[in-house]
Amino acid sequence: MISAEENAHREFLRELVHAAHPVWRTILAAMREGVLVVDREMTVLVQNPAAAEIFPPPPISSRPLRLIDLTRDPTLHEGFQQALEHGASVESRFELRRGEPRAFQVRIAPLHLASDTPHAALGVFVEITALERLERIRRDFFANLSHELRTPLAAILAYVETLQEIEPDDSEHMRRCLDGLFRQAQRLHALVRDITDLAEIESGAIALSLEVLPLRAFVEDVLALIQPQAEERGIAIVNEVPEAIQVLADPLRLTQILQNLLDNAVKFNRPNGHVWIRARRLGEHLEISIADTGIGIPPADQPRIFERFYRGEKSRSRETGGSGLGLAIVKHLVQLHGGEIHVRSEPGVGSEFTVRLKAVPEPKVAQGAPSTDATK
Ligand code: ADP
C-alpha cells in the first residue's frame, strides 16, 4: 500500500519533472542562475542550462542522474541533505575549480507540498566571481592608496619637525629641508593628479576629441616637455618617426600617453643612455614604439606593470619614484582609442613599449588616375 503522503510526493515530482509548464521551462532556461532540484534519494529532478554549464552532466547513462554524478563537493551534499532532512534553508559559498576558479553563492531551500517533510530541495547558484574580484581590487586599491599617501606625508612631517628645531642661522640645513619638503609635496601632488585622472578615465566620463595629427611634429612637442629630465641624466632621445605618418587621436590624451612612456624611458634608463621613438604603418594600424637602453623589466613583472600602483623593485626603492599609476593610465587611454599596448623587455638591456592605434585611412587613388610610378 502506498501511503497518501507517498502518493502526494510522487505526484509532486511527476508534475515537477514532466508536466513542467513550457513557461516555467522557458524561465528556467533564461535564468543566469543555476537551478538544481533533487529529491530525497538525491536524484536530480531539474537542472536548468545554467546549472548544466556549472555541473556538466556525465555522458548519457541509463540510470537517473544523481547529485553525486554532478559534484562531489561535501558542502553541497550536506546543504541538500540538511534542507531535505530538517526542512532548513542553507546558504553557502561554493568554488568550482575546473579551469579558472569560479565562485558561487548557493542557496538551498526545502520544497514542501502540503506536508512537513520536504519532498525535494532546490539549489540556486549565483556566480559571484566578478563581484569578488572587484571587491579584492577595491580593497587593494585603498590599501595601496593609503600606503602611497603615508610615505610622502611621513617625510613632510619629519622635515617640518626638523625645521622647527633648526637654529635660525643654519641656512644650509634649512635649504635642504625645504628642498625635501618641496620634493615630497610634488610627489603628493602628482599622486593626487594621477588618481583623479584614473578615476575620470575609468568612469568613462571623458570623451575623446579625435584629430588627424602629424606624428613626427607631435612627438617633437612632447619631447620638449621631457628634455630637461633627459638632459639632466645625459640621455639622448631620438625621434625616428617618418615625416609622412599621421595619427587619429585626441591630442591631449596622446600627449599623456607619450609623456608617461617617455618619462619612464628616461627615468629607468642608465646614465647617458638612449631612447628611440619609432612609428610604422601596418595595414589598418599604426605602431608607435618607444625603446630604451634602461634597466629592463624582469619577466615576472611584465604582465603586472599595467596594474594600478604596481611598481618594480627598483622603482619602489627610489625615494622620488612615481606612483605606479602611469602605465595604468596609459593603458586605459590607449584602449579608449580602440588600441592596444604591449611591452618587450630584457633586464639589463632595455625595454620597448609598443602602442598600436588605428591608422588614418589613406586617401583612395581615383580609378584611372595616373600613379606616381606611371608619371616617371
Ligand atoms: P611609476 O613609473 O610611477 O613607478 P608606472 O605605472 O609608469 O609607474 O610603471 C610601473 C612600473 O613598470 C615601474 O615602477 C617600473 O618598475 C616598470 N617600468 C615602466 N616603464 C619602464 C621602463 N621603460 N624600463 C624599466 N621599467 C619600467
Side-chain angles (χ1 to χ4, degrees):
M1 266 295 278
I2 299 171
S3 70
E5 192 196 334
E6 187 66 12
N7 240 338
H9 177 208
R10 288 191 179 173
E11 184 58 28
F12 172 80
L13 297 183
R14 208 170 18 249
E15 272 197 20
L16 198 68
V17 182
H18 301 292
H21 195 281
V23 171
W24 282 111
R25 267 197 298 241
T26 311
I27 292 172
L28 280 174
M31 280 172 74
R32 270 172 209 268
E33 293 81 3
V35 174
L36 272 186
V37 179
V38 301
D39 70 6
R40 276 196 284 221
E41 278 75 46
M42 290 290 177
T43 303
V44 177
L45 302 174
V46 175
Q47 184 185 26
N48 76 338
E53 192 259 322
I54 307 169
F55 307 108
I60 297 164
S61 63
S62 53
R63 63 199 172 92
L65 189 63
R66 293 172 53 79
L67 187 63
I68 194 83
D69 301 323
L70 298 182
T71 174
R72 291 182 178 270
D73 186 272
T75 344
L76 288 183
H77 280 267
E78 272 166 34
F80 277 103
Q81 219 120 40
Q82 214 168 321
L84 286 160
E85 283 169 19
H86 309 295
S89 289
V90 183
E91 267 200 38
S92 63
R93 182 181 174 281
F94 163 67
E95 222 174 271
L96 195 64
R97 297 194 168 274
R98 201 181 57 228
E100 283 277 302
R102 292 165 69 188
F104 295 85
Q105 184 188 50
V106 191
R107 282 200 198 118
I108 302 173
L111 288 179
H112 294 276
L113 188 83
S115 98
D116 288 341
T117 339
H119 300 283
L122 162 79
V124 180
F125 297 75
V126 180
E127 178 146 20
I128 50 170
T129 317
L131 205 67
E132 288 189 349
R133 211 188 103 248
L134 286 176
E135 177 54 25
R136 215 168 28 245
I137 291 175
R138 194 189 67 84
R139 229 177 311 129
D140 287 354
F141 179 81
F142 284 108
N144 280 320
L145 179 61
S146 58
H147 174 80
E148 293 295 333
L149 287 171
R150 221 168 339 165
T151 317
L153 271 177
I156 287 173
L157 281 176
Y159 282 124
V160 172
E161 273 172 24
T162 316
L163 275 173
Q164 282 171 331
E165 284 159 19
I166 285 178
E167 294 298 326
D169 54 356
D170 190 353
S171 60
E172 173 55 30
H173 198 177
M174 203 174 285
R175 168 121 308 271
R176 263 188 283 127
C177 282
L178 286 173
D179 284 350
L181 264 181
F182 182 64
R183 258 199 332 273
Q184 297 300 334
Q186 267 185 322
R187 191 171 161 185
L188 264 184
H189 183 249
L191 178 63
V192 172
R193 184 204 56 211
D194 283 354
I195 290 168
T196 317
D197 273 359
L198 198 60
E200 191 191 17
I201 296 164
E202 285 188 340
S203 72
I206 62 164
L208 295 182
S209 81
L210 297 178
E211 289 178 28
V212 175
L213 307 164
L215 189 59
R216 189 182 166 84
F218 193 85
V219 166
E220 259 335 289
D221 289 345
V222 180
L223 285 187
L225 305 171
I226 304 287
Q227 217 66 54
Q229 289 142 260
E231 275 166 19
E232 208 173 289
R233 307 199 56 222
I235 288 160
I237 311 184
V238 193
N239 180 358
E240 292 189 347
V241 176
E243 200 64 66
I245 288 194
Q246 293 188 318
V247 59
L248 184 66
D250 180 317
L252 178 71
R253 304 304 171 181
L254 185 60
T255 304
Q256 259 180 305
I257 294 171
L258 295 176
Q259 196 177 352
N260 262 306
L261 293 175
L262 285 166
D263 185 56
N264 282 345
V266 168
K267 198 163 64 176
F268 298 108
N269 220 315
R270 57 175 162 78
N272 305 317
H274 280 79
V275 176
W276 294 273
I277 309 160
R278 305 186 179 103
R280 60 177 180 160
R281 206 183 154 119
L282 280 177
E284 313 239 293
H285 296 107
L286 178 68
E287 265 189 12
I288 306 173
S289 77
I290 292 171
D292 64 57
T293 51
I295 57 171
I297 305 161
D301 280 350
Q302 288 177 24
R304 303 206 57 194
I305 54 173
F306 296 99
E307 291 174 16
R308 298 187 290 190
F309 291 116
Y310 192 83
R311 282 191 287 154
E313 201 59 47
K314 297 238 166 57
S315 174
R316 246 173 283 154
S317 56
R318 286 178 197 206
E319 203 212 5
T320 49
S323 60
L325 290 173
L327 286 179
I329 293 175
V330 167
K331 186 176 174 185
H332 272 96
L333 289 176
V334 170
Q335 286 175 342
L336 214 60
H337 280 82
E340 295 169 11
I341 180 160
H342 300 283
V343 62
R344 280 193 317 146
S345 182
E346 202 180 316
V349 179
S351 310
E352 181 173 18
F353 286 81
T354 307
V355 175
R356 182 180 266 225
L357 298 173
K358 283 193 201 107
V360 180
E362 284 191 22
K364 289 220 166 61
V365 181
Q367 280 279 313
S371 74
T372 24
D373 279 350
T375 56
K376 277 186 189 155

